[in-house]
Amino acid sequence: MNSFPVVQHWSPCEEFFTQYKKKDYAVLILNTPINFNFNQHFIIDLWNHAKVRVTVDGGTKKWLRWLTGNEREFKEVLQPDLITGDMDSLPKEVLGCFQNGGTKIIVTPDQDETDYTKALRELKLHCNSENVHVDTIYVLADTCGRFDQIMANINTLYKSRDILTDTKVYQVASTSITWLLSKGRHSISVPVVLRDSQEWCALIPIGGPCVVTSTGLKWNLDNRKLEFGVLVSTSNTYDGSPVVTIETDAPLVWSMGIQTLL
Ligand SMILES: Cc1ncc(C[n+]2csc(CCOP(=O)(O)OP(=O)(O)O)c2C)c(N)n1
Ligand SMILES: O=c1ccn([C@@H]2O[C@H](COP(=O)(O)O)[C@@H](O)[C@H]2O)c(=O)[nH]1
């Protein structure tokens, strides 16, 4: 297939863990447990170096609790630029901790979209009004017990294409990174540790059937249709190549395990 000449390049592990200071990125914290095995200093550094810092509703409380639990000096940690949400899971006393530090508090009461989706809309408005450039968003979103929210968060990835064109949105969980590959050609850089340890990766056609061709995987696809009820590529892994290439005729969720990197 030569139908999609432009290749979109992705190197989330390198960008997220080592090269983040070179990028214009935002961090968004959702209301999911912050159980990351990452070095505490790394999380604070990632947060402090972000161009925009957002906590979403109850994510504000989780962040504050994580900071307190890790005995960080609160003053070393920058305040969120935005706290957004319908505020149904954010106690007033937690909000009070942030009210005098220049944080914008934006109430998003609409009950037809999730607080995460609305937060991306507010982030976009903030970037436009403050003339801030962001090309990547790291969403700290562990996958926990609420299956409806896991699915809603994937739906937000689909919506993000219209909200923030040309911005990469990565959902970072405690042991995986997930994002949406749009229709077209992609190359994904795979760190040697993930290749050597045969970490899992997956191509998940959540939004609808996709015809996919890949290289760099143990179980490659050759113009093969992925579709729920037919074939979904989970528990796949790498064949040792430094790069995985994927060509898809429709948006496709890619997810990769990162446990062995931590
Ligand atoms: C068809 C339909 N189903 C369900 C809903 C309800 N709904 C969808 S998004 C949303 C807001 C969810 O808020 P969020 O803070 O993201 O999640 P929470 O933890 O409060 O459930 C609600 C109530 C709806 N508006 N329309
Ligand atoms: O179990 C959960 C709960 C929440 N989320 C995400 O966080 C935001 C904010 O949630 P609130 O409960 O309103 O504080 C929500 O929009 C979800 O994206 C989640 O992923 N899992």
Side-chain angles (χ1 to χ4, degrees), residues 166-255:
D166 297 331
T167 305
K168 291 178 170 175
V169 182
Y170 293 114
Q171 285 182 188
V172 182
S174 49
T175 59
S176 63
I177 301 184
T178 302
W179 70 97
L180 188 68
L181 304 177
S182 53
K183 168 182 171 171
R185 295 170 66 202
H186 302 268
S187 78
I188 301 166
S189 163
V190 184
V192 69
V193 179
L194 299 190
R195 284 181 258 145
D196 286 352
S197 60
Q198 297 270 285
E199 263 279 14
W200 64 268
C201 61
L203 301 94
I204 310 173
I206 290 185
C210 306
V211 177
V212 178
T213 297
S214 68
T215 66
L217 299 174
K218 181 167 180 182
W219 288 276
N220 278 308
L221 299 151
D222 183 7
N223 226 359
R224 191 97 188 264
K225 191 182 198 181
L226 294 180
E227 183 176 16
F228 273 84
V230 182
L231 177 66
V232 173
S233 178
T234 52
S235 301
N236 210 326
T237 188
Y238 308 105
D239 71 359
S241 312
V243 163
V244 168
T245 69
I246 294 171
E247 181 164 342
T248 175
D249 73 342
L252 175 66
V253 172
W254 165 267
S255 189

Side-chain angles (χ1 to χ4, degrees), residues 11-51:
S11 43
C13 303
E14 296 86 337
E15 287 173 21
F16 181 69
F17 288 108
T18 55
Q19 295 167 13
Y20 57 95
K21 288 181 190 166
K22 296 183 191 158
K23 306 290 281 183
D24 291 337
Y25 65 90
V27 174
L28 224 98
I29 299 183
L30 300 184
N31 187 14
T32 57
I34 305 181
N35 285 331
F36 296 98
N37 267 336
F38 315 150
N39 180 304
Q40 291 170 23
H41 298 285
F42 163 67
I43 295 194
I44 300 291
D45 213 40
L46 180 83
W47 173 261
N48 281 346
H49 276 91
K51 288 271 185 285

